[in-house]
């Protein structure tokens, strides 16, 4: 099914301009669709997905429990996305809640607290284990060192690989993957790939949703990303779309059109 969308998607991104990295994979059939899938993009907040995985990996081996609490310090507070920057230093939060804020609100303060908790090497290790071979992690969010070692970068294919590992229970443990996907499904930023999709809820309370999307967005100036696992009926497909060069609203509009194409393509198969 994905191959049938290649021409339409290629036309959409060509007309829009900018640089695009796209990698889709049907997790049942193994079919893929890829455009510039190995091109590196500044990661922005999609790097928070492997950071989450690193936290769950360290919890799995007993270095801490997700219910352990961490005290918010004044020096932790950074700007950009998230609510923790407006909270009172000294307030305690569970690691699970900090991970949730990092993902569903893209909270940069929570992210940096998690980076401090697990360390750079732990994050790089989970990236290696999930075959993110062309991606790099170096820095905290909203903190730019005077001596910069490198930039956080990802490719569409690498993000797709990480998502495949989560969706198939191939990293850490089945239970850990189940919990991480559940967090991604509660994402509050839905202005890109799923924006044009119909209301997922049925007319009757308790009906199975028409679709679910376990995703993470990322944005800085003229960088707009959305990556996730789209569930439609009995189908599951990873979608990784990275853009550089467009204003956020313009890139988001193209992503929404692409998401709509994928959704209706699979609905017709159902």
């Amino acid at each position: 099914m994905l191959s049938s969308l290649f021409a339409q998607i290629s036309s959409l991104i060509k007309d829009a301009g900018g640089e695009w990295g796209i990698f889709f994979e049907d997790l049942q059939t193994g079919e893929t669709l890829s455009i510039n899938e190995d091109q590196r993009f500044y990661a922005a907040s999609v790097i928070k997905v492997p950071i989450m995985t690193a936290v769950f990996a360290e919890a799995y081996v007993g270095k801490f429990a997700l219910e352990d609490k961490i005290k918010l310090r004044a020096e932790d507070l950074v700007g950009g996305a998230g609510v923790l920057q407006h909270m009172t230093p000294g307030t305690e939060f569970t690691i699970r809640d900090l991970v949730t804020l990092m993902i569903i609100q893209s909270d940069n303060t929570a992210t940096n607290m998690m980076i401090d908790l697990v360390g750079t090497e732990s994050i790089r290790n989970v990236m290696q284990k999930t075959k993110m071979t062309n991606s790099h992690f170096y820095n905290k969010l909203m903190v730019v060192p005077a001596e910069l070692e490198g930039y956080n970068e990802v490719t569409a294919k690498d993000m797709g690989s990480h998502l495949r590992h989560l969706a198939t229970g191939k990293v850490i443990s089945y239970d850990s993957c189940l919990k991480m996907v559940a967090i991604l499904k509660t994402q509050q930023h839905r202005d890109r790939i799923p924006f044009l999709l119909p209301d997922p809820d049925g007319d009757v309370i308790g009906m199975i949703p028409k679709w679910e999307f376990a995703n993470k967005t990322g944005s800085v100036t003229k960088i707009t990303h959305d990556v996730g696992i789209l569930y439609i009926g009995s189908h599951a497909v990873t979608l990784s779309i990275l853009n550089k060069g467009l204003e956020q609203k313009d890139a988001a509009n193209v992503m929404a059109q692409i998401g709509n194409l994928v959704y209706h393509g699979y609905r017709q198969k159902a």
Side-chain angles (χ1 to χ4, degrees):
M1 203 291 295
L2 292 175
S3 59
S4 68
L5 303 178
F6 183 84
Q8 290 170 281
I9 292 173
S10 296
S11 178
L12 278 172
I13 63 174
K14 181 180 179 182
D15 291 345
E19 298 178 44
W20 295 85
I22 294 175
F23 185 80
F24 300 165
E25 182 177 10
D26 186 312
L27 296 176
Q28 270 86 20
T29 67
E31 182 186 14
T32 62
L33 183 156
S34 56
I35 300 172
N36 301 326
E37 70 276 16
D38 291 321
Q39 179 176 335
R40 290 194 186 104
F41 289 78
Y42 181 71
S45 287
V46 298
I47 199 67
K48 294 169 183 175
V49 181
I51 293 171
M52 172 179 66
T53 306
V55 174
F56 271 80
E58 297 290 83
Y60 182 75
V61 297
K63 292 191 177 179
F64 48 76
L66 294 175
E67 289 68 38
D68 289 348
K69 291 185 176 181
I70 298 178
K71 187 176 293 186
L72 179 67
R73 306 171 301 170
E75 55 266 37
D76 293 325
L77 307 180
V78 295
V83 298
L84 286 185
Q85 61 184 302
H86 307 297
M87 299 294 103
T88 305
T91 306
E92 292 186 333
F93 298 89
T94 66
I95 294 170
R96 187 187 302 276
D97 286 345
L98 290 170
V99 170
T100 300
L101 287 172
M102 175 178 71
I103 296 298
I104 74 171
Q105 291 193 342
S106 206
D107 196 297
N108 289 324
T109 297
T111 302
N112 289 349
M113 292 170 73
M114 294 300 92
I115 294 170
D116 283 338
L117 178 68
V118 301
T120 300
E121 285 309 310
S122 176
I123 297 163
R124 290 173 175 168
N125 285 341
V126 299
M127 291 171 70
Q128 183 178 19
K129 286 179 180 178
T130 56
K131 304 296 190 292
M132 295 184 69
T133 53
N134 289 315
S135 299
H136 305 291
F137 174 76
Y138 291 102
N139 306 305
K140 290 184 179 181
L141 282 294
M142 305 300 291
V143 178
V144 183
E147 296 183 5
L148 194 64
E149 184 182 355
Y151 292 98
N152 300 339
E153 293 181 311
V154 295
T155 71
K157 186 174 182 179
D158 283 357
M159 289 307 305
S161 177
H162 194 87
L163 292 168
R164 184 195 325 112
H165 279 79
L166 295 184
T168 56
K170 300 300 185 184
V171 63
I172 311 173
S173 71
Y174 180 91
D175 182 64
S176 295
C177 290
L178 191 67
K179 289 172 179 172
M180 288 187 284
V181 169
I183 292 172
L184 289 165
K185 282 185 177 181
T186 59
Q187 176 60 249
Q188 296 187 350
H189 296 283
R190 294 293 174 87
D191 62 333
R192 298 169 202 183
I193 290 173
F195 186 71
L196 294 176
L197 304 192
D199 186 336
D201 297 324
D203 298 328
V204 179
I205 293 171
M207 289 183 70
I208 296 172
K210 295 183 181 73
W211 59 271
E212 292 184 281
F213 194 38
N215 76 304
K216 182 74 194 75
T217 59
S219 307
V220 294
T221 303
K222 293 197 172 182
I223 295 283
T224 306
H225 306 325
D226 198 1
V227 303
I229 309 155
L230 182 62
Y231 301 89
I232 309 163
S234 61
H235 304 285
V237 55
T238 64
L239 305 176
S240 298
I241 309 180
L242 313 179
N243 173 261
K244 175 171 66 176
L246 296 185
E247 296 294 339
Q248 182 178 318
K249 62 179 176 58
D250 297 323
N253 179 54
V254 175
M255 292 178 185
Q257 293 181 67
I258 293 172
N260 200 39
L261 285 173
V262 173
Y263 173 77
H264 285 289
Y266 276 98
R267 288 295 292 180
Q268 289 171 8
K269 280 186 68 176

